[in-house]
Amino acid sequence: MAKTVLITGGAQRLGAMLCRSFATAGWSVWCHYQRSGAAAEALRASLGQQGLLIRTVQADLAIDAQRQQMMAQIVAQTGPLHCLVNNASSFEPDTARDFDIDAARQQLEVNLLAPMALTAAMAQSIPASDTTGERSVIHVLDQKVFNLNPDYFSYTTSKLALERLVALQAQALAPQLRVCGVAPGLMFVSGPQTKANFDKASRINLLRRPINPAQVAQSCLFLANNPCITGITLTVDNGQHLLPLPRDVMFMVDPLQKDGA
Amino acid sequence: MSSTSPPATRQRTVLITGAAKRLGREIALTLAKEGWRVAVHYRDSVEEAAKTVADCKKLAGACASFRANLASETAVRNLLPTVIEEFGHVDALVNSASTFEHDTAATFTFAALEKHVRSNAGAAILLSHALFEHLQTQGDEARGVIVNLLDQKLWNPSPDFMSYTLSKAALEAANTMLAIQLAPRMRVVGVAPGLTLASHLLRPEKFDSLNKLSPLGHASTAADVAATVAFALNNKSITGTTLLVDGGQHLVSAA
């Protein structure tokens, strides 16, 4: 029987790439979405047509009752998950000096508390005797947790906590669950970016070329399959984390740097 | 030397140090299975190296062994040119050979430190730069990759194996520095196993009991480490970082 994976925020961008990579590798995929119902359905139809296994599930990850209901539905329909990829992120510009407390709470809820709650629900669904190393949780982080700049302050705070959560959950949930992180760099046009800005910013890394999201998805798949790896974060960022910048990379390219807050 | 791009069909070639035995041999077999031509470096293990070569040949068709003492700078500087002479080109380097002898602060000597740093860090740095210079002759588009075998104990230190650990700490720092200096032509990735195989300093019974102490109930198998090396060689977006493959051993105190 195929192994099952839940990918949060699976309808678009890296999430869609993750759904495609896991499904192509023979996994049975649950694609979570919140507002991107049409994109999720299009992805389901496209992968389904190729004979791949994919289901969609809707939930607002900021609401605990919806998180719990989603996990209950998944376990009821396809059994305990083999892998959970916490990919969904809330990403809003703010600063240390004047962040909005409600916007900060919302980002911590989606980026930190939701991964904590979904992981706990997954752990509770797995029998204590299941210690083969084949079940895992993967948190999608950001290379900036190893290369700080003060832009996107609340978002960054949530990802910093999530990075420490990798080791903490790995300690707490072994040997039933492995817990790993994957920290990509800039992969898609983000926030206020224009395509022209992205084309320049995406080459600001050691390898001087854009990061291929498929390689990031392959890294998640590798971590899901290797039974010996737990408690670590893999940076998949063309070496962006070794290039310190005073601000987010999108503000280091001329046109936005002038406009940047 | 021609500066045209290498043909897409050219067979990938990797030099693996310390590939006659143990983990290096497992990495050699895994990469040969993926179609790599393998240059098997060894120091004294003549028979084991011949067996690794024979086994890789069955899988990939081309394989040869190269003898060198990695503590000798001259021998290290001569190694890659000899491999290039045999295979024509080299695309990747796996620094797997390790000198591994016991000492602590109480028994530490300059001689022990120098011995470990020479072969475990110095040789890796010289070979990495030699590969970089070789790839510069292979056209603007030629890209290469280096994997350095580290040790989870860098993230979970204990006072044992002082000189060995210092040499691996130096290699870990070199991993980052080389990733920066040799980019964008080369990627440089660390792979840090935990307890993987019993050794001359660790008998099988003791190995089994230590292995079970890892959070996952097992540290790392040689096959899982070799698969991780193959992954690091193949994934073109990873550089300047280290993958720990240790069953979570670094998460529990060793001290």
Side-chain angles (χ1 to χ4, degrees):
Chain A
M1 210 177 96
K3 292 196 275 189
T4 55
V5 58
L6 166 63
I7 292 152
T8 67
Q12 307 201 59
R13 295 159 64 93
L14 179 62
M17 188 68 82
L18 285 162
C19 288
R20 197 171 287 280
S21 296
F22 275 83
T24 304
W27 289 63
S28 170
V29 173
W30 283 92
C31 168
H32 156 269
Y33 67 95
Q34 184 189 358
R35 285 183 293 261
S36 309
E41 177 49 32
L43 183 65
R44 193 199 62 73
S46 156
L47 295 183
Q49 221 163 36
Q50 300 168 44
L52 304 177
L53 302 168
I54 177 167
R55 295 173 176 83
T56 61
V57 57
Q58 197 275 336
D60 181 347
L61 294 182
I63 299 172
D64 195 54
Q66 294 196 24
R67 299 191 291 239
Q68 301 303 333
Q69 198 198 342
M70 173 175 72
M71 292 301 280
Q73 182 196 336
I74 288 171
V75 172
Q77 283 191 33
T78 56
L81 287 168
H82 294 87
C83 183
L84 161 66
V85 183
N86 287 301
N87 167 67
S89 270
S90 178
F91 177 71
E92 301 294 340
D94 62 359
T95 71
R97 204 175 291 280
D98 65 352
F99 66 89
D100 178 85
I101 194 76
D102 290 328
R105 277 209 184 94
Q106 167 75 13
Q107 289 176 84
L108 287 167
E109 190 72 46
V110 172
N111 299 354
L112 179 62
L113 294 179
M116 285 167 66
L118 295 178
T119 304
M122 179 179 173
Q124 285 168 29
S125 71
I126 297 168
S129 61
D130 193 336
T131 62
T132 55
E134 71 170 2
R135 296 185 198 265
S136 61
V137 175
I138 297 166
H139 299 312
V140 177
L141 303 167
D142 186 315
Q143 62 81 31
K144 77 175 296 189
V145 301
F146 303 114
N147 184 17
L148 285 180
N149 69 68
D151 285 312
Y152 295 93
F153 177 73
S154 298
Y155 161 84
T156 305
T157 303
S158 71
K159 292 293 185 184
L160 285 168
L162 193 59
E163 192 274 323
R164 295 315 294 145
L165 193 65
V166 169
L168 197 60
Q169 287 180 323
Q171 287 181 329
L173 303 175
Q176 281 80 24
L177 266 182
R178 297 182 295 105
V179 183
C180 298
V182 168
L186 178 68
M187 288 177 290
F188 300 96
V189 174
S190 299
Q193 253 184 329
T194 59
K195 178 74 169 57
N197 175 282
F198 174 83
D199 287 343
K200 286 185 189 166
S202 63
R203 291 175 186 278
I204 303 180
N205 58 56
L206 289 185
L207 302 182
R208 296 179 209 160
R209 54 179 161 79
I211 298 160
N212 181 352
Q215 303 278 6
V216 179
Q218 283 304 318
S219 299
C220 293
L221 193 55
F222 169 75
L223 292 173
N225 283 326
N226 190 307
C228 288
I229 302 184
T230 192
I232 67 151
T233 293
L234 178 58
T235 48
V236 189
D237 67 343
N238 287 5
Q240 196 184 336
H241 70 285
L242 295 175
L243 219 64
L245 297 173
R247 297 205 55 190
D248 189 280
V249 67
M250 71 172 71
F251 300 121
M252 300 307 292
V253 176
D254 290 339
L256 268 179
Q257 196 171 17
K258 285 185 206 134
D259 307 341
Chain B
M1 185 66 68
S2 156
S3 67
T4 52
S5 300
T9 52
R10 85 175 197 178
Q11 204 180 353
R12 298 187 297 176
T13 306
V14 59
L15 166 62
I16 305 171
T17 66
K21 296 188 293 191
R22 300 170 58 83
L23 196 52
R25 172 182 155 82
E26 189 77 24
I27 294 166
L29 294 175
T30 298
L31 296 183
K33 220 171 284 171
E34 287 199 355
W36 288 80
R37 298 190 302 179
V38 180
V40 172
H41 158 266
Y42 68 101
R43 186 185 56 188
D44 296 323
S45 309
V46 180
E47 284 169 29
E48 291 94 335
K51 177 150 179 20
T52 300
V53 168
D55 292 341
C56 285
K57 272 186 175 162
K58 284 180 213 150
L59 298 162
C63 184
S65 63
F66 302 86
R67 186 171 195 163
N69 175 3
L70 299 185
S72 153
E73 183 171 336
T74 309
V76 173
R77 287 191 186 278
N78 288 335
L79 178 55
L80 196 74
T82 318
V83 177
I84 293 165
E85 207 168 294
E86 172 75 23
F87 287 108
H89 70 266
V90 179
D91 308 281
L93 164 67
V94 177
N95 289 306
S96 176
S98 272
T99 296
F100 178 65
E101 289 171 13
H102 188 258
D103 64 351
T104 67
T107 55
F108 176 85
T109 61
F110 279 18
L113 178 67
E114 188 179 332
K115 182 175 179 186
H116 282 85
V117 169
R118 273 173 174 264
S119 52
N120 295 359
I125 294 165
L126 285 182
L127 289 172
S128 296
H129 205 267
L131 178 57
F132 174 71
E133 288 181 330
H134 165 62
L135 286 166
Q136 283 182 312
T137 70
Q138 300 290 298
D140 290 345
E141 300 304 314
R143 292 288 178 270
V145 51
I146 298 158
V147 171
N148 292 310
L149 271 292
L150 302 168
D151 190 315
Q152 66 82 30
K153 82 190 302 262
L154 296 175
W155 289 268
N156 183 13
S158 68
D160 282 309
F161 299 100
M162 171 71 89
S163 294
Y164 163 80
T165 306
L166 289 172
S167 71
K168 288 294 185 182
L171 184 58
E172 198 269 333
N175 194 74
T176 306
M177 295 163 80
L178 290 168
I180 296 169
Q181 187 177 349
L182 307 184
R185 194 177 280 279
M186 316 274 303
R187 294 185 298 108
V188 187
V189 186
V191 170
L195 193 61
T196 304
L197 298 165
S199 69
H200 62 292
L201 298 174
L202 189 61
R203 296 187 180 288
E205 314 81 69
K206 177 78 173 157
F207 172 81
D208 286 341
S209 62
L210 282 176
N211 205 17
K212 290 201 180 74
L213 290 178
S214 300
L216 295 182
H218 55 90
S220 34
T221 69
D224 291 318
V225 176
T228 304
V229 171
F231 167 74
L233 292 177
N234 289 330
N235 191 301
K236 294 190 165 56
S237 298
I238 300 178
T239 190
T241 192
T242 294
L243 271 146
L244 281 84
V245 195
D246 68 344
Q249 207 181 344
H250 70 284
L251 300 169
V252 294
S253 171

